[in-house]
Amino acid sequence: MFNPLRALALTPLLAALLLPTAHAAVSKITRTGRYLYDSSGNRFYIKGVAYQDQGVVVASADNPFGEPTSFTDPLAQGSACQRDLPFLQQLGVNTIRVYSVNSSLNHDDCMSLFSGAGIYAIVDLALPLNGSIDRTSPSWSTNLLAQYTQTIDAFSKYDNVLAFNVGNEVVVQNSTSVSPYVKAAARDIRAYLNSKGSSALVGYAAINGESEWRGDLANYLTCDPSGANSDSSAIDLYGLNDYEWCGNSSFQASYAATTNAFSNYNVVAYFSEFGCLTTGPRPWTEVGALFGSQMNTVWSGGVAFSYFPAQSAQGQFGMVTISSDGSTVSTGDDFNNLKTEYGSVSFINSPSQSSAGTSSYPACPAESDVFAASTTLPPTPDLAACTCLEQHLSCQFTPSTSNYTAIVGELLDFGCSSLGQIGGSCDDIGGNGTSGVYGRISDCDPTVKLSFVMSEYYEANNRQQAACSFNGNGTVNPNAPSSVSAANAVASSCVANPSAVFTPSSVPTSAGGSSGSGSSGGKTNGSSAAFGDSSALFSLTLMTIVSLLGGIWALA
């Protein structure tokens, strides 16, 4: 635990004096080969801190810090950013990492404030619960793509966005089959950023997993499945959440093996979280090694975890606490120790940008027992196709409650189970990241998938109205085709190319994605259900494994 905290309450006058007086554009950061450079050609290192309240979390065996159930967007709190900026400046950080943001809110105050202070932001695109790729029952779907692109649209006007992360610790032990979904997200987000002329990098933050598959994942996220040495589905920025160094350790004892494992990596690598999980205070002596000559040729800095308090299985950690009225910052030994260590960092400006070379994108690692990820990726989520299909389905999901996310999982469970009992299948809405086989509407919003399952059940029961009820949550569509054959023809017309890969376009907020307006938050990982209850986890798993005697209404 921390030693007693020392309050450093700033008067409004002192706070104002420490803030930048005028906004000057920050340098554009780009990637050349495996390194970052600013517009002057100097090597750029991420000297960062995680900047988000942890909030309420749920237990996770894979993540000692737990996983959030909701969040507060730290970049939409202008007064809080103004309160915290002097302390971020004392730490000497040039980057903050934010785990969840609300695209419907205004971020001008915080982003302008940080830009004027030369602080960049790494923005994670995922949200708690229904806003992240679920490692248990994965899907790369229209609602997630819409959420991701809406966040990019909200932040595209800011000059200090360094990168967008498509996931955080989605791939863990025994869930490597989710990797194709993460790579598909990186592919589509890269294409979307390119279409907008954005220089923001595409990133992923990985758990420091077992060495048997950790390297395969890192290489998989930067490989080219086609073998054509293309970066179209590769990330730019690989983050490793690494907590190996504790106390006054040494490079050889803590980081040497990990650094050696990434010695030939082809894109930028950094520590997306670092620190120690054991009880503090933490001396942060790893900073000297991370930014020193033993590691600078492999790593481009890191993000210290965490500015705000965070509870883990081993104890509570954090650099500051905030008074109950939100006006006062109190710092602890973790803050002061990191301030000292960060203050001693001198960036090594090597290699030069002209000698950094270019990245190659090799063939992907082969599937194995410990890394079971196909090189066939899910398609780009097609909102137009899913909307067309939904409009013509004979039975449509019309929830009886405004809190419908809590019942989608149960209804899918019931629908898929009922279809299975009569020889049907939910294959069209599922997918398998190991075999590389994805259902023809696996990219649709879960509510569209539910309408599809309800329609199959309704058709199988000779269009008896009661078969569309689903406990009052289904309604017969009067505009649906009048026969099964006509319905098949329309459905096939809507989903004419279910394996298509294309550049996504901007979509309105109402097209999908969560607003993310929760009240607390923290790290968002990949174990959250596609919808927010345990039944959703079970039912979406069922969708991917049900394989019976063929579809009743199979988009023939």
Side-chain angles (χ1 to χ4, degrees):
M1 292 296 178
F2 296 128
N3 287 338
L5 300 175
R6 293 183 287 274
L8 291 177
L10 292 176
T11 66
L13 176 60
L14 179 56
L17 290 173
L18 288 173
L19 297 181
T21 57
H23 175 75
V26 295
S27 178
K28 181 179 178 180
I29 306 300
T30 56
R31 176 175 73 88
T32 299
R34 63 182 299 179
Y35 303 111
L36 299 172
Y37 294 90
D38 65 21
S39 56
S40 298
N42 294 315
R43 179 100 182 264
F44 180 84
Y45 295 82
I46 296 168
K47 188 166 71 166
V49 66
Y51 184 73
Q52 187 147 20
D53 281 319
Q54 184 184 36
V56 179
V57 299
V58 294
S60 169
D62 296 300
N63 177 15
F65 282 100
E67 300 187 354
T69 56
S70 56
F71 73 97
T72 295
D73 182 346
L75 298 181
Q77 315 294 322
S79 60
C81 292
Q82 185 168 338
R83 174 201 68 203
D84 293 332
L85 178 59
F87 296 94
L88 297 176
Q89 290 176 311
Q90 287 182 48
L91 287 175
V93 303
N94 63 15
T95 307
I96 57 172
R97 181 183 173 196
V98 176
Y99 294 86
S100 294
V101 294
N102 183 343
S103 62
S104 69
L105 299 180
N106 186 288
H107 304 92
D108 291 351
D109 289 348
C110 288
M111 292 301 288
S112 177
L113 195 68
F114 291 147
S115 176
I119 296 175
Y120 297 85
I122 297 174
V123 179
D124 285 34
L125 296 172
L127 299 177
L129 296 180
N130 61 328
S132 61
I133 298 173
D134 173 28
R135 69 170 75 101
T136 306
S137 304
S139 176
W140 175 232
S141 50
T142 56
N143 56 310
L144 287 177
L145 176 59
Q147 172 190 301
Y148 281 25
T149 57
Q150 285 160 11
T151 297
I152 290 171
D153 289 346
F155 281 83
S156 61
K157 60 183 175 180
Y158 305 124
D159 61 1
N160 56 329
V161 176
L162 176 63
F164 292 105
N165 282 340
V166 297
N168 178 69
E169 298 186 354
V170 181
V171 185
V172 297
Q173 188 77 20
N174 300 322
S175 76
T176 56
S177 60
V178 71
S179 303
Y181 295 89
V182 176
K183 193 168 179 66
R187 175 200 64 205
D188 292 339
I189 293 308
R190 173 182 283 281
Y192 186 70
L193 289 170
N194 288 342
S195 73
K196 295 178 69 69
S198 173
S199 62
L201 304 174
V202 178
Y204 175 77
I207 194 170
N208 193 7
E210 297 295 331
S211 58
E212 287 82 1
W213 60 266
R214 181 188 64 185
D216 284 339
L217 172 63
N219 293 329
Y220 181 85
L221 293 177
T222 59
C223 71
D224 178 17
S226 71
N229 195 30
S230 169
D231 66 350
S232 61
S233 64
I235 60 171
D236 299 295
L237 192 64
Y238 183 86
L240 187 66
N241 296 340
D242 190 293
Y243 292 91
E244 292 178 287
W245 185 300
C246 285
N248 293 306
S249 186
S250 67
F251 169 74
Q252 288 297 333
S254 298
Y255 288 159
T258 301
T259 298
N260 182 65
F262 283 83
S263 60
N264 295 314
Y265 200 49
N266 57 328
V267 302
V268 177
Y270 76 113
F271 283 3
S272 41
E273 292 173 7
F274 71 89
C276 178
L277 295 179
T278 58
T279 301
R282 294 174 287 181
W284 300 106
T285 49
E286 64 264 48
V287 167
L290 179 58
F291 292 90
S293 59
Q294 291 176 302
M295 298 182 69
N296 79 298
T297 58
V298 176
W299 306 98
S300 292
V303 174
F305 190 86
S306 155
Y307 179 78
F308 295 105
Q311 187 75 29
S312 83
Q314 284 78 21
Q316 181 168 310
F317 307 90
M319 301 172 200
V320 306
T321 56
I322 309 299
S323 61
S324 58
D325 64 0
S327 64
T328 303
V329 177
S330 300
T331 65
D333 285 339
D334 268 22
F335 177 94
N336 295 309
N337 291 341
L338 183 64
K339 175 183 173 181
T340 297
E341 293 297 327
Y342 267 176
S344 301
V345 169
S346 295
F347 294 155
I348 301 172
N349 193 24
S350 174
S352 65
Q353 189 168 18
S354 60
S355 61
T358 59
S359 292
S360 60
Y361 303 91
C364 296
E367 288 186 47
S368 67
D369 292 340
V370 294
F371 189 74
S374 172
T375 56
T376 301
L377 307 183
T380 303
D382 191 338
L383 178 62
C386 294
T387 301
C388 173
L389 176 65
E390 183 181 32
Q391 291 172 345
H392 293 93
L393 290 173
S394 57
C395 180
Q396 295 178 325
F397 174 51
T398 51
S400 58
T401 173
S402 59
N403 186 26
Y404 64 86
T405 59
I407 64 172
V408 170
E410 294 179 358
L411 293 174
L412 279 169
D413 182 12
F414 171 78
C416 287
S417 296
S418 299
L419 280 175
Q421 291 172 8
I422 57 177
S425 170
C426 277
D427 287 348
D428 274 323
I429 66 173
N432 188 311
T434 298
S435 65
V437 176
Y438 309 99
R440 283 178 278 186
I441 60 167
S442 61
D443 63 312
C444 291
D445 183 289
T447 59
V448 177
K449 294 177 180 178
L450 178 54
S451 291
F452 179 83
V453 171
M454 295 167 75
S455 295
E456 285 210 310
Y457 186 74
Y458 173 65
E459 296 288 352
N461 284 278
N462 299 316
R463 296 194 170 188
Q464 297 179 30
Q465 186 167 353
C468 182
S469 173
F470 282 72
N471 199 28
N473 291 288
T475 302
V476 174
N477 179 12
N479 299 316
S482 58
S483 67
V484 174
S485 60
N488 279 335
V490 171
S492 295
S493 175
C494 289
V495 191
N497 189 1
S499 301
V501 174
F502 53 90
T503 299
S505 57
S506 297
V507 294
T509 302
S510 60
S514 169
S515 66
S517 55
S519 60
S520 62
K523 297 166 63 176
T524 299
N525 306 289
S527 66
S528 302
F531 280 84
D533 67 345
S534 59
S535 60
L537 282 169
F538 175 78
S539 63
L540 291 177
T541 302
L542 178 65
M543 283 188 284
T544 65
I545 62 174
V546 171
S547 179
L548 298 165
L549 300 177
I552 296 166
W553 187 25
L555 302 181

